[in-house]
Amino acid sequence: MNQLLSPSNFVRFTVDQHEYVYFPGNSIQQLTNRTIEAYFDACEMGVVNDNILSEKADEITSALNGRLVFPVMNSDFKQNNAMLTINTTNGCNMACKYCFAPTSKSEIRSISIETIVKATNDLLKNYPQVECYTIYFFGGEPLMRKKFIKEAVDVIKGIVKRQSKKVKFIMTTNGTLLEQSIIEFLKREEFHVVLSIDGNAQHNINRVFRNGKESFSSVIAKIKLLKENNVSMHIRATFNPQMENLIDAVKFFESLDVVYDYEFTLGSNTNDVQYTRFSKDRLLSLNSEIESITNYLINKIEHGEKINCSSFSQKLAFIKNNVIRFFGCEAGRNAMIVDECGNYYPCQNMLSFIETRMGDTISGINYNLRDKYKSQLFSEYQKCTNCWARYLCGGGCQAERLMDDSNIETAVCELIKMEWLYALKAYTKLMKFGKSINVTI
């Protein structure tokens, strides 16, 4: 019986009527003759039906196995950065339909300076090798506490300076509470601002104020204000299952001439699934939408135009530089979040899963729980190990696994593979026509 390359070790795709194959952690190769194409047909079917190919299959497999080197994580791998996310408040002035933050005033909780002091000290204690730390103000809506943030920044800078280290600040905001004095503060303290908006007015219908009124016009005005004041920023869009014509959202963002990225809603155990979970039917239609977005951005690059979509350009950079990911993100590794009550979690997406609480500012970090719920190596999961996208994806989101819903996990995996496959096609097409891909990670 012939030995064939496992489908987990390659994926095939077509660009301009030419066949290509991507080998995980290795490279993209064009299939240049019918025998090789037939060989990969056999690999996908798991059986050799061609008599001529049968004589060569073992030889081809042996040659491929001799050339392909699948990366292994270095056991001496060390983190050189660390981030503390501060859940400034769980309250918000908006009521986005897919968000988990409460909007009732009776449920609003806010973090204290004392908690921030303890959390910052824990950060420095647990990551002493890091020279520059990142503090990420999150929520809820952090700008509901403008005065507090200014005080917190001064306190954190003092703690870090006493250790002869450096710190940089990030904030995610819906933008509606921005005004000139806070913008001047953000610029002075060299914040990077992540501003949430989902597209044009139609796409933004899920992002409403507590009274149900639209937020789009207010946010657009604040984006203009940030640009005028040269504040470091980018836009983050969240695409949910009910949004359609995503290409229009992307074209809108490109017209703003601001760096942006987009992500798809995580499955949730706290809100209406219609706003967060992608069905099989929606995934089918999403495939053509991602294809349209990819073709649109490729066309811009081919015509020498700048693209502002970091979601797209970063994937191209990963492919170009053969970046290898052994885990999906930094949650619980070199990143953690402290909530309003002083509890530690691996990341903000796990705040609704009380079992993932990995200590607090009083008792410190529980390392056993941190290791249990941190972003795991993809090699811990058979499904990931057998996936062609494993080194690109790194195993996905740990919070998704906590929902213990195979339908969610399957949909998320299909969506991730869909995005990466179109990125591989885009990279191949651009390189084929000699278009320089000037992107950075």
Side-chain angles (χ1 to χ4, degrees):
M1 184 174 180
N2 296 108
Q3 295 295 316
L4 297 170
L5 195 66
S6 168
S8 66
N9 287 329
F10 71 92
V11 65
R12 291 171 72 181
F13 57 91
T14 302
V15 174
D16 296 330
Q17 298 182 325
H18 293 285
E19 287 277 328
Y20 295 85
V21 61
Y22 165 71
F23 299 106
N26 289 269
S27 61
I28 299 170
Q29 299 291 329
Q30 184 174 351
L31 304 185
T32 56
N33 63 66
R34 180 55 199 146
T35 299
I36 297 298
E37 289 181 5
Y39 171 80
F40 282 102
D41 287 340
C43 290
E44 290 174 336
M45 294 185 295
V47 61
V48 177
N49 292 322
D50 188 302
N51 291 332
I52 297 177
L53 177 61
S54 181
E55 299 175 3
K56 298 183 178 181
D58 290 342
E59 179 183 344
I60 295 172
T61 302
S62 178
L64 287 171
N65 285 332
R67 290 171 54 193
L68 299 178
V69 178
F70 297 109
V72 177
M73 185 172 177
N74 187 342
S75 59
D76 295 328
F77 178 77
K78 291 182 174 59
Q79 305 288 0
N80 57 9
N81 56 71
M83 181 172 73
L84 172 67
T85 299
I86 296 172
N87 218 46
T88 316
T89 175
N90 67 340
C92 187
N93 63 322
M94 291 178 62
C96 301
K97 295 176 183 178
Y98 51 72
C99 185
F100 54 80
T103 56
S104 168
K105 290 184 178 180
S106 63
E107 297 175 324
I108 292 178
R109 301 183 302 273
S110 299
I111 202 167
S112 68
I113 286 293
E114 291 75 19
T115 297
I116 287 179
V117 169
K118 292 176 181 177
T120 303
N121 282 324
D122 277 345
L123 178 72
L124 271 64
K125 175 184 176 182
N126 284 276
Y127 302 96
Q129 77 281 10
V130 172
E131 292 299 320
C132 183
Y133 298 89
T134 300
I135 302 295
Y136 191 175
F137 288 96
F138 200 74
E141 172 49 52
L143 288 181
M144 290 181 71
R145 306 189 70 202
K146 297 175 186 176
K147 183 178 179 181
F148 174 85
I149 289 175
K150 292 179 180 180
E151 183 182 357
V153 166
D154 285 339
V155 168
I156 292 167
K157 285 168 63 179
I159 294 171
V160 173
K161 185 177 181 179
R162 285 192 291 274
Q163 297 292 327
S164 300
K165 300 296 182 74
K166 297 179 180 180
V167 63
K168 58 184 179 181
F169 298 100
I170 304 175
M171 177 189 293
T172 286
T173 175
N174 61 42
T176 60
L177 298 178
L178 285 166
E179 36 81 25
Q180 190 60 40
S181 63
I182 194 68
I183 286 177
E184 290 172 0
F185 162 77
L186 295 172
K187 183 176 181 179
R188 183 170 64 251
E189 298 297 342
E190 298 181 333
F191 265 75
H192 180 77
V193 177
V194 183
L195 195 144
S196 301
I197 181 174
D198 292 345
N200 58 32
Q202 183 61 32
H203 289 106
N204 227 47
I205 56 175
N206 289 315
R207 300 187 60 81
V208 295
F209 288 107
R210 288 179 180 174
N211 60 11
K213 291 186 177 180
E214 60 86 22
S215 64
F216 178 76
S217 54
S218 173
V219 178
I220 291 299
K222 300 307 167 63
I223 290 174
K224 182 179 180 182
L225 199 58
L226 287 169
K227 287 181 66 178
E228 290 173 349
N229 285 271
N230 296 313
V231 176
S232 175
M233 66 168 291
H234 79 271
I235 289 170
R236 174 161 296 158
T238 302
F239 293 161
N240 71 76
Q242 294 193 331
M243 290 177 64
E244 297 179 347
N245 299 316
L246 300 182
I247 181 65
D248 291 340
V250 169
K251 288 180 178 179
F252 170 74
F253 287 133
E254 289 290 326
S255 73
L256 293 178
D257 196 26
V258 175
V259 174
Y260 67 96
D261 63 24
Y262 62 82
E263 56 189 14
F264 294 90
T265 49
L266 291 170
S268 173
N269 63 347
T270 60
N271 51 19
D272 194 332
V273 297
Q274 68 175 315
Y275 295 112
T276 60
R277 301 187 185 182
F278 286 85
S279 66
K280 291 181 180 180
D281 289 341
R282 183 64 184 103
L283 283 175
L284 287 174
S285 61
L286 197 59
N287 182 74
S288 61
E289 293 197 59
I290 293 177
E291 181 179 22
S292 295
I293 291 171
T294 301
N295 289 337
Y296 167 70
L297 295 173
I298 287 174
N299 186 64
K300 288 196 70 175
I301 295 173
E302 288 181 329
H303 285 83
E305 299 177 41
K306 179 181 72 172
I307 65 167
N308 297 301
C309 182
S310 63
S311 306
F312 184 72
S313 61
Q314 187 180 69
K315 283 184 172 63
L316 296 184
F318 270 48
I319 297 167
K320 177 182 179 181
N321 298 313
N322 197 26
V323 173
I324 304 298
R325 300 172 70 185
F326 294 98
F327 44 85
C329 69
E330 302 297 340
R333 290 182 172 272
N334 72 329
M336 62 180 182
I337 185 171
V338 59
D339 73 4
E340 319 82 52
C341 302
N343 298 309
Y344 292 133
Y345 292 83
C347 79
Q348 59 267 27
N349 294 325
M350 296 189 188
L351 289 174
S352 60
F353 298 96
I354 190 65
E355 69 272 20
T356 68
R357 187 173 75 88
M358 55 180 218
D360 54 54
T361 53
I362 297 174
S363 59
I365 296 173
N366 184 316
Y367 298 105
N368 289 331
L369 287 174
R370 183 191 66 177
D371 290 344
K372 180 178 180 180
Y373 292 109
K374 70 183 179 183
S375 179
Q376 301 294 320
L377 297 176
F378 73 72
S379 56
E380 296 293 318
Y381 303 98
Q382 189 66 41
K383 184 176 180 180
C384 295
T385 303
N386 292 333
C387 176
W388 64 263
R390 57 189 179 274
Y391 294 116
L392 299 170
C393 162
C397 175
Q398 199 67 20
E400 294 276 8
R401 293 191 175 94
L402 295 172
M403 279 170 256
D404 196 27
D405 187 327
S406 60
N407 291 327
I408 294 177
E409 187 175 354
T410 298
V412 170
C413 288
E414 291 304 311
L415 181 51
I416 290 172
K417 287 188 287 187
M418 188 188 302
E419 288 192 278
W420 276 111
L421 185 57
Y422 278 113
L424 289 168
K425 291 180 178 181
Y427 178 82
T428 302
K429 184 177 180 68
L430 291 169
M431 292 301 292
K432 179 181 177 183
F433 289 99
K435 293 295 180 180
S436 176
I437 304 174
N438 296 314
V439 291
T440 57
I441 299 173

